[in-house]
Amino acid sequence: DAGVTQSPTHLIKTRGQQVTLRCSPKSGHDTVSWYQQALGQGPQFIFQYYEEEERQRGNFPDRFSGHQFPNYSSELNVNALLLGDSALYLCASSAAGSYEQYFGPGTRLTVT
Amino acid sequence: ILNVEQSPQSLHVQEGDSTNFTCSFPSSNFYALHWYRWETAKSPEALFVMTLNGDEKKKGRISATLNTKEGYSYLYIKGSQPEDSATYLCAGRWGNYGGSQGNLIFGKGTKLSVKP
């Protein structure tokens, strides 16, 4: 079992650009959640996808959008990047009805 | 806005020492409490999920307790080893934030360093 995988591992972008991060959930999981961890903070919830729909959303601007595909994999898109978007982005997957969330290793985004 | 507090922020112990960390959270509408162990450059590893007041969970030398009435959880490590060095995160779920399927609200973590 590959667990939750994320790509790329690291990414450097310039202010104003757009970025797409990818996540493949653990086998058997149908729900994907995205979190942002800024330096010195705990992970902050961005949004959750289930059945290809955004089911819940945290306190993040519309520049943050996502998508879930029929195979349950997911993308996080961030438009008009700001310096403050520099962070570790974590993806977590879970199975419907289960409390457990399993995390990937994250994508480190640096905005210059 | 829900706030999860962890203490201490960091801890340095000698190999063989036993240690414990605290996670405090709002008890109203509480649903579940998660503990994760996170080594640098790796995925956070799920340790425990607890939902009921008085829950106690154990995994090897690590154990955790939950008090939902007063809003706290303790994580204990008995006989710390260098490989226990990691950041320990607690995260909660609340009924008014999606319940069992809702998002996790994390504390900032406790960074444990165990010296050989």
Side-chain angles (χ1 to χ4, degrees):
Chain A
D1 183 2
V4 180
T5 59
Q6 292 186 243
S7 64
T9 306
H10 295 91
L11 206 49
I12 300 174
K13 290 285 189 177
T14 304
R15 237 179 339 178
Q17 285 188 316
Q18 179 262 342
V19 69
T20 297
L21 311 182
R22 293 176 176 84
C23 171
S24 290
K26 190 174 163 67
S27 177
H29 287 185
D30 55 10
T31 303
V32 173
S33 301
W34 287 91
Y35 294 81
Q36 180 199 64
Q37 191 196 27
L39 202 61
Q41 303 297 315
Q44 302 274 321
F45 175 72
I46 303 174
F47 43 54
Q48 183 184 81
Y49 276 84
Y50 173 68
E51 292 189 341
E52 301 179 50
E53 296 283 334
E54 183 183 288
R55 178 158 71 177
Q56 268 193 288
R57 188 177 183 93
N59 191 25
F60 278 81
D62 291 345
R63 298 186 297 109
F64 289 75
S65 63
H67 189 77
Q68 186 179 34
F69 298 94
N71 67 353
Y72 307 119
S73 67
S74 177
E75 287 182 349
L76 163 66
N77 302 293
V78 188
N79 293 324
L81 283 166
L82 303 173
L83 295 179
D85 295 331
S86 295
L88 181 70
Y89 289 85
L90 292 164
C91 167
S93 74
S94 55
S98 169
Y99 284 111
E100 295 279 3
Q101 280 196 7
Y102 292 83
F103 282 83
T107 293
R108 173 73 61 188
L109 172 65
T110 302
V111 182
T112 63
Chain B
I1 296 177
L2 292 172
N3 200 27
V4 176
E5 299 278 351
Q6 290 190 248
S7 62
Q9 194 172 344
S10 64
L11 201 51
H12 298 263
V13 301
Q14 289 293 134
E15 183 175 355
D17 288 349
S18 291
T19 185
N20 65 85
F21 325 133
T22 303
C23 175
S24 302
F25 53 86
S27 54
S28 177
N29 275 311
F30 170 83
Y31 221 88
L33 194 284
H34 298 243
W35 280 101
Y36 286 88
R37 178 176 176 275
W38 196 3
E39 289 181 72
T40 304
K42 294 190 177 178
S43 305
E45 174 197 354
L47 290 174
F48 307 113
V49 182
M50 295 179 287
T51 57
L52 300 176
N53 185 46
D55 258 354
E56 291 186 24
K57 296 275 178 109
K58 189 174 180 183
K59 189 175 184 176
R61 294 178 291 100
I62 306 176
S63 60
T65 61
L66 179 67
N67 183 320
T68 62
K69 293 185 178 178
E70 296 181 41
Y72 65 83
S73 175
Y74 294 138
L75 186 80
Y76 301 92
I77 302 178
K78 186 177 177 182
S80 302
Q81 300 296 310
E83 57 266 29
D84 295 328
S85 297
T87 295
Y88 291 82
L89 288 169
C90 79
R93 294 180 192 263
W94 282 264
N96 47 342
Y97 283 79
S100 65
Q101 301 303 302
N103 55 285
L104 295 173
I105 297 175
F106 281 87
K108 292 183 181 181
T110 293
K111 187 169 183 179
L112 174 67
S113 298
V114 183
K115 266 186 149 180

